[in-house]
C-alpha cells in the first residue's frame, strides 16, 4: 500500500555497502528517510556464485538491517523469498517507489560497471530523481587516480603505492619510509615448513539469522558451486573486528615471510582472510592499515610484515580499483593472446591428478577462499598456460570467491593473472613451470605427475606448457625485456628437446580439451 505523504529520500544500500559510514547513509536522516535493502535473484545468478558467498552476503545484509533499525532507521528489507520479489534491483526499487513515494533515491555508486550502467537508466525508467554518490571507502578517489594515471606512459603499482604512502603518512617517518626502504619483498617469499605453528582465522558459529539464510540458499541455489558448511564467516561488524584483532595477534608477524608459501591442508597459512569483510563494508581499510602500523610501532611485528600487509591494501587494492574504473567497459574484452579454450571441468570439481590444482580448487569449493599465491600461481598460471578464454577464467573467479566483486576481481584476473590486457597492469605474465610450485609448496611430493620429469608420460604438465606458451605467443611477448632470458634459453635449446616439449604440451592440451581427466 502507498504511504500517504511519501518519504523524502529512499536510500538503497547494496550488499557490499554494509557500513553506516557509506556516503548514502551519511547524506540521509533517519527521522525523515527510509532505507531499502533487497535480496535479488539477479545478483546471485548473473554468475553462479558459490553458495557460501551468497549465504555470507545475505546474512551480513540481514544483520546490518538489524543494526540500522537499532540505530533508529526505518528499513524496508526484501528477503529473497518475499511474495512479489521481482528478482532485480530495478524491479525492487520500482516496487518500493510505488509503496513509499519517495522524492528522491540516494545510492552510493556500486562496485561493478554492469550495475552502474543499470542505475544510470533508473531516473528515466522510474520517473524518479536518482542521486549517485561517490564511494568514499577508499584512500584514493577515482578522479585522483585518473589524474595520477593521466601523466604516465606506464601504470605501475609500486609508483602509485609510494604516492599513497606519502599522501596518507602510513609507515612514514617524516618524508622517509619507515625502516629506510619502501618495499621489503626481498625479505619475504620463504617457503613454509609443515612443522611451523600455523594460526587459524577466527571462526564464528552461525546464529539464528545465518541458519535461516543457509536453509534458503540450499533450497534456492542447489546447483551453485561450493559447500555451504561448515559456515564460519563473521556476518557483523563486531565479529569482523574480532577476526581482525585475532589476525593481528596470531598471524601478522609472519605474514610477510610466508606470503608466497603453499602447504597441503593449510588453507590460510599466515593470511588474514579479511578481504571478504573489507569488500562487503564490515571492515574499514583505513582503520585496518592504522592498526597494522600501530602493531609495528609498538614492536609487536617486524617491518617486513607491516609493510608487506599495508602494501596489499594501500597499494594493490586501491590500484586495481583505479585501473578498473579507468578502463571499463572495454577492459573486460582484453584477450591479447586470443586464448579461446574452455575452462577445464576440474575447476568446478577439483578432480585432477595435478595435486596443486586439486588442492587449490578443493579448498576453494570448501571455503570460497584461496590465498593470493594459489589464485595467481596455481589456478591462474594453469589457465594462462593452457590458453583458456580469459572471460571464462574471469567468470570463475567472480563466482567462486566470497570476496569477489568485479572492481577488484577483474583487474586481478584479466590483468595480473591472465595478462589479457597486454601488460597494462603487470610488466610480465605471472607464469611458471613446475619448478616454482615445487619450491614454494609441498604439493609435488604427492602428485600423480613428476615435477622433475620435463617431457613425456608422467611429466609435470606445467613444465612443457610453460615452453609451449612462450613459443605460441612469441609475437606478443618476445619484445618484453623481462622475458629476454627465457626467450634466449628457448632459442638456444637443442631442436629435439624443443620438439619434445611442444609435443608433450600438445598431447596434454588435446587430452584436456577432450574432457578426459588429467
Ligand atoms: P591477505 O593475503 O591477508 O592480504 C591482505 C589484504 O590485502 C586482502 O584482504 C586484500 O584486501 C588485499 N589484497 C591483497 N592482494 C590484493 C590484490 N592483488 N588486489 C586487491 N587487494 C589485495 N581480492 C579480492 O579482494 N577479491 C577478488 O575477487 C580477488 N580476485 C583475485 C583473482 C586473482 C586471479 C588474483 C591473482 C587475486 C585476486 N584477489 C582478489 C587478490 C588476493 O588474492 C585476495 O585479496 C586475497 O587472497 C584475499 O585473502 P586475504 O584476505 O587472506 O588476503
Ligand atoms: C553479490 C551479491 C549477491 C549474491 N546478492 C546481492 C543481493 O541480493 N542484494 C544486493 O544488494 N547485493 C547483492 N550482491 C552484491 C552486489 O552484486 C554488489 O553490490 C554489486 O555487484 C556492486 O558491487
Ligand atoms: Fe603441480 Fe606439477 Fe607439482 Fe604436480 S608436479 S603438484 S602438477 S607443479
Amino acid at each position: 500500500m502507498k504511504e500517504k505523504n511519501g518519504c523524502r529520500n529512499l536510500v538503497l544500500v547494496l550488499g557490499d555497502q554494509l557500513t553506516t559510514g557509506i556516503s548514502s547513509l551519511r547524506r540521509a536522516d533517519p527521522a525523515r528517510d527510509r532505507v531499502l535493502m533487497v535480496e535479488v535473484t539477479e545478483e546471485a545468478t548473473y554468475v553462479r556464485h558459490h553458495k557460501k558467498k551468497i549465504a555470507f552476503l545475505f546474512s551480513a545484509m540481514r544483520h546490518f538491517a538489524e543494526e540500522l533499525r537499532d540505530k533508529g532507521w526505518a528499513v524496508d528489507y526484501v528477503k529473497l523469498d518475499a511474495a512479489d520479489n521481482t528478482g532485480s534491483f530495478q524491479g525492487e526499487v520500482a516496487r518500493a517507489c510505488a509503496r513509499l513515494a519517495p522524492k528522491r533515491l540516494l545510492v552510493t555508486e556500486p562496485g561493478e560497471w554492469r550495475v552502474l550502467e543499470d542505475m544510470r537508466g533508473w531516473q528515466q525508467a522510474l520517473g524518479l530523481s536518482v542521486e549517485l554518490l561517490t564511494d568514499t571507502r577508499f584512500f584514493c578517489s577515482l578522479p585522483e587516480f585518473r589524474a595520477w594515471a593521466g601523466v604516465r606512459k606506464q601504470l605501475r603499482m609500486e609508483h602509485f603505492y609510494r604516492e599513497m604512502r606519502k599522501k596518507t603518512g602510513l609507515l612514514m617517518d617524516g618524508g622517509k619510509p619507515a625502516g629506510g626502504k619502501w618495499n621489503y619483498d626481498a625479505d619475504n617469499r620463504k617457503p613454509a615448513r609443515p612443522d611451523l605453528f600455523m594460526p587459524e582465522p577466527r571462526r564464528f558459529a552461525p546464529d539464528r539469522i545465518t541458519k535461516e539464510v543457509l536453509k534458503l540458499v540450499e533450497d534456492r541455489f542447489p546447483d551453485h558451486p561450493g559447500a555451504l558448511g561448515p559456515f564460519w564467516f563473521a556476518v557483523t561488524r563486531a565479529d569482523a573486528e574480532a577476526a581482525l584483532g585475532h589476525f593481528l595477534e596470531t598471524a601478522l608477524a609472519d605474514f610477510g615471510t610466508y606470503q608466497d608459501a603453499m602447504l597441503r591442508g593449510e588453507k590460510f597459512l599466515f593470511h588474514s582472510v579479511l578481504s571478504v569483510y573489507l569488500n562487503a563494508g564490515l571492515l574499514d581499510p583505513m582503520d585496518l592499515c592504522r592498526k597494522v602500523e600501530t602493531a609495528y610501532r609498538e614492536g609487536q611485528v617486524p617491518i617486513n610484515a607491516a609493510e608487506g600487509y599495508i602494501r596489499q591494501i594501500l597499494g594493490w587494492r586501491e590500484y586495481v580499483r583505479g585501473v578498473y574504473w579507468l578502463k571499463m567497459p572495454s577492459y573486460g574484452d582484453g584477450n591479447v593472446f586470443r586464448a579461446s579454450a574452455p575452462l577445464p571441468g576440474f575447476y568446478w570439481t577439483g578432480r585432477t591428478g595435478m595435486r596443486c590444482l586439486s588442492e587449490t580448487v578443493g579448498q576453494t569449493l570448501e571455503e570460497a577462499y584461496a590465498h593470493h599465491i594459489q589464485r595467481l600461481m596455481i589456478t591462474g598460471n594453469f589457465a594462462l598456460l593452457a590458453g583458456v578464454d580469459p572471460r571464462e577464467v574471469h567468470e570463475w573467479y567472480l563466482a567462486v570467491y566470497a570476496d569477489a566483486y568485479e572492481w577488484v576481481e577483474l583487474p586481478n584476473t584479466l590483468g595480473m593473472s591472465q595478462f589479457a590486457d597486454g601488460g597494462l597492469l603487470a610488466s610480465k605474465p605471472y607464469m611458471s613451470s613446475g619448478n616454482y610450485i615445487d619450491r614454494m609448496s609441498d604439493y609435488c611430493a604427492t602428485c600423480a605427475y613428476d615435477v622433475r620429469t620435463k617431457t613425456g608420460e608422467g611429466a609435470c604438465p606445467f613444465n612443457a606448457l610453460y615452453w609451449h606458451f612462450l613459443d605460441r605467443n612469441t609475437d606478443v611477448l618476445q619484445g618484453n625485456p623481462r622475458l629476454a632470458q627465457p626467450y634466449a634459453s628457448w632459442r638456444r635449446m637443442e631442436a629435439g628437446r624443443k620438439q619434445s616439449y611442444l609435443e608433450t604440451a600438445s598431447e596434454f592440451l588435446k587430452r584436456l580439451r577432450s574432457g578426459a581427466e588429467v
Side-chain angles (χ1 to χ4, degrees), residues 12-17 37-46 49 53-54 57-58 61 80 89 109-112 114-115 404-407:
L12 175 65
V13 175
L14 303 181
D16 53 356
Q17 300 181 342
M37 297 180 70
V38 297
E39 295 172 7
V40 287
T41 313
E42 204 167 273
E43 289 308 296
T45 55
Y46 74 97
H49 291 295
K53 176 180 188 178
I54 303 175
L57 219 69
F58 284 5
M61 286 171 68
L80 191 81
F89 282 144
E109 285 164 349
E112 305 202 346
R114 165 189 69 85
V115 183
Y405 304 89
E406 212 181 73
W407 67 266

Side-chain angles (χ1 to χ4, degrees), residues 354-356 434 437 443-444 447 449-451 460-462:
M354 292 179 280
R355 175 65 73 196
C356 51
I437 297 171
Y443 295 150
C444 302
C447 182
Y449 297 91
D450 180 12
V451 72
C460 165
F462 283 85

Side-chain angles (χ1 to χ4, degrees), residues 124-349:
Q124 200 175 23
L126 302 173
L128 168 78
S129 161
V130 176
E131 195 172 335
L132 280 166
L133 298 155
T134 303
D135 191 340
T136 54
R137 289 176 292 170
F138 295 88
F139 289 97
C140 181
S141 72
L142 297 176
E144 199 183 343
F145 188 87
R146 217 165 278 128
W148 174 81
V151 294
R152 279 170 174 79
K153 275 208 200 102
Q154 273 195 326
L155 305 185
R156 287 293 164 253
M157 197 291 291
E158 190 61 33
H159 302 153
F160 170 76
Y161 166 60
R162 290 180 192 188
E163 294 292 315
M164 288 293 107
R165 289 271 295 277
K166 288 183 208 153
K167 174 186 154 174
T168 59
L170 278 164
L171 289 181
M172 295 298 291
D173 292 330
K176 298 247 158 52
K181 284 198 286 182
W182 289 103
N183 182 317
Y184 288 82
D185 249 0
D187 303 346
N188 296 348
R189 302 185 168 154
K190 289 203 175 68
R193 298 184 320 272
D195 62 341
L196 272 174
F197 163 74
M198 297 298 169
E200 282 284 321
R202 177 84 191 266
R203 290 162 197 258
F204 303 86
D207 66 359
R208 180 188 53 79
I209 294 179
T210 301
K211 283 182 187 155
E212 204 177 290
V213 164
L214 289 172
K215 184 164 178 342
L216 174 75
V217 173
E218 191 61 83
D219 290 348
R220 292 290 296 267
F221 307 106
D223 59 337
H224 281 225
L228 258 177
F231 184 93
W232 51 266
F233 285 138
V235 289
T236 61
R237 168 171 300 267
D239 283 352
E241 302 256 352
L244 157 57
H246 178 79
F247 165 69
L248 296 177
E249 275 172 31
T250 61
L252 175 61
D254 283 315
F255 171 84
T257 310
Y258 300 113
Q259 203 177 330
D260 287 5
M262 297 171 280
L263 276 183
R264 272 197 75 199
E266 292 294 341
K267 296 183 265 195
F268 312 104
L269 292 156
F270 298 91
H271 293 274
S272 64
V273 197
L274 294 178
S275 53
V276 57
Y277 310 136
L278 275 172
N279 297 350
L282 297 184
L283 290 179
D284 172 21
M286 309 178 195
D287 174 61
L288 173 53
C289 287
R290 281 188 200 110
K291 284 184 171 141
V292 170
E293 172 161 22
T294 303
Y296 161 67
R297 299 278 181 202
E298 290 179 351
Q300 290 151 23
V301 304
I303 184 70
N304 70 314
E307 188 283 315
Y309 195 83
I310 285 176
R311 177 161 20 96
Q312 306 311 313
I313 309 244
L314 181 65
W316 279 112
R317 187 169 185 269
E318 298 282 324
Y319 173 72
V320 298
R321 174 174 181 260
V323 169
Y324 177 79
W325 287 110
L326 188 68
K327 295 294 171 186
M328 282 301 278
S330 61
Y331 195 71
D333 301 329
N335 187 357
V336 72
F337 301 125
R338 297 182 296 279
S340 60
L343 190 76
F346 67 73
Y347 275 71
W348 300 107
T349 63

Side-chain angles (χ1 to χ4, degrees), residues 347 357 373-387 397 417-418 430-434 436-437 462 465-466 469:
Y347 275 71
L357 280 151
I373 215 68
Q374 293 176 309
R375 296 188 205 196
L376 187 64
M377 296 312 292
I378 305 295
T379 39
N381 187 10
F382 184 82
L384 175 72
L385 298 185
Y397 279 96
S417 144
Q418 301 301 295
Y430 283 92
M431 57 179 183
S432 80
S433 65
Y436 169 85
I437 297 171
F462 283 85
L465 286 176
Y466 175 85
F469 172 83

